[in-house]
Amino acid sequence: MARTQGRGMHGSTGDPGFRSTGGAVRAPGRGGGGPSSGAGRTGGLPGLTSHKPAREVVTVVAEPGLVVEDAAETFCGAVIRADIREVVLEDAAGRRRLFPNKPAAFLHEGRPATLVPPQRAAAPEKAPQRSASGSRRVENVRARTALPHRIWVEGLHDAEVVERVWGHDLRVEGVVVEPLHGADVLVEAAREFGPGPGRRLGVLVDHLVTGSKESRIAEGLRRELGPAAAHVLVLGHPYIDIWEAVKPGTVGIRAWPTIPRGIEWKRGVCEALGWGDERAGARRVLSAVSSWNDLETPLITAMEQLIDFVTVDP
């Protein structure tokens, strides 16, 4: 792959799609599971309970490349990016997973560890160049000829947000993102696209939650495509619209307003926030998004998995 860091972050919420791209995990715990030679003893003096010494928690700077394991011992990898909220790890196979950055949430050299983000370099020009998605920026490389694979998003606004954050990565990989202009046309469009070996299709869907219209469309697509569904991955996020997957603080609000049913969501948002019409609202949202830090985790993980699906050999 042209991209130097690999892909494959996992942990997406919502419908898992037609195929899981989850990384290999190891069973929790290590060593034998039988009782020790002292099992069943109360130990010590009557009325007293023996205590196991608490393990010391170390603080480690989460420099890119630092190898750690999550505290539950399900995933081991190198730090790709980290901030005060989240840490992204990448394993030896190039699969990624995102974890909340909490105290003692990781193991470093077998010891419980709290990861702290590295301080910004005093000289910005010396800092590693990163794309908006957090991957290492590849300079002086022409975009690859487009692959036959595709990633579809629901609408133009979705495509603009994806381009803003993942555009560099997609051009390096030769992946084309196309707007569907609504999930209602997904089944017909996928049938016309003709997915198969060497021609994969990834689909990002808004509001992909149990019982939603979008979830029913995705299930119908599975039935319609039959065996070809193995070459399609439908993932989504729980938000009504791509705007809602942008963190509220990014656009200068405390929370996205609740819009009553029967009112078109974007129009209701613009009216509630005094943003004018939908075009003005779209400009406001898009201009505020500059990197993955501006987006909610379900959208990030879904997009990373879709790019992984259409670029990484199985």
Side-chain angles (χ1 to χ4, degrees), residues 30-249:
R30 297 176 177 173
S36 68
S37 58
R41 300 178 183 174
T42 58
L45 298 175
L48 296 181
T49 302
S50 59
H51 294 276
K52 186 177 181 179
R55 299 176 70 186
E56 178 186 3
V57 178
V58 297
T59 299
V60 182
V61 177
E63 296 285 357
L66 176 75
V67 177
V68 295
E69 190 172 15
D70 71 299
E73 301 184 55
T74 63
F75 192 86
C76 180
V79 172
I80 296 300
R81 56 181 180 248
D83 60 23
I84 60 175
R85 298 180 300 273
E86 301 163 340
V87 175
V88 177
L89 302 181
E90 181 179 272
D91 69 9
R95 294 178 288 256
R96 292 187 182 183
R97 186 172 295 180
L98 183 147
F99 295 94
N101 193 4
K102 297 180 179 180
F106 300 91
L107 297 176
H108 179 250
E109 297 181 350
R111 294 185 295 173
T114 297
L115 300 187
V116 296
Q119 294 184 349
R120 295 184 181 274
E125 65 276 9
K126 295 182 181 180
Q129 295 298 307
R130 299 280 175 178
S131 71
S133 71
S135 65
R136 187 177 296 276
R137 179 175 288 275
V138 181
E139 302 292 353
N140 301 319
V141 174
R142 296 180 61 183
R144 290 179 57 185
T145 301
L147 298 173
H149 315 302
R150 289 292 184 271
I151 292 179
W152 289 350
V153 296
E154 281 206 45
L156 183 59
H157 294 167
D158 305 69
E160 290 174 337
V161 170
V162 168
E163 164 62 25
R164 180 61 62 94
V165 176
W166 287 278
H168 172 78
D169 308 57
L170 294 167
R171 283 186 290 275
V172 170
E173 300 289 0
V175 177
V176 175
V177 173
E178 299 173 336
L180 271 173
H181 304 295
D184 293 332
V185 302
L186 175 57
V187 174
E188 180 181 353
R191 188 169 53 239
E192 182 179 345
F193 176 78
R199 189 173 173 82
R200 297 182 189 174
L201 176 63
V203 186
L204 179 71
V205 180
D206 299 337
H207 202 224
L208 192 62
V209 296
T210 301
S212 69
K213 177 189 74 172
E214 291 78 6
S215 68
R216 293 192 293 272
I217 291 174
E219 183 58 33
L221 179 61
R222 184 204 302 269
R223 294 192 301 269
E224 177 70 24
L225 293 180
H231 307 286
V232 178
L233 177 64
V234 178
L235 292 177
H237 53 75
Y239 309 107
I240 295 174
D241 186 90
I242 192 73
W243 288 9
E244 197 179 16
V246 176
K247 293 178 179 178

Side-chain angles (χ1 to χ4, degrees), residues 1-4 6-7 144 172-173 307-308 311-312:
M1 293 174 60
R3 193 164 182 235
T4 58
R7 306 202 63 85
R144 290 179 57 185
V172 170
E173 300 289 0
I307 298 174
D308 187 38
T311 58
V312 178

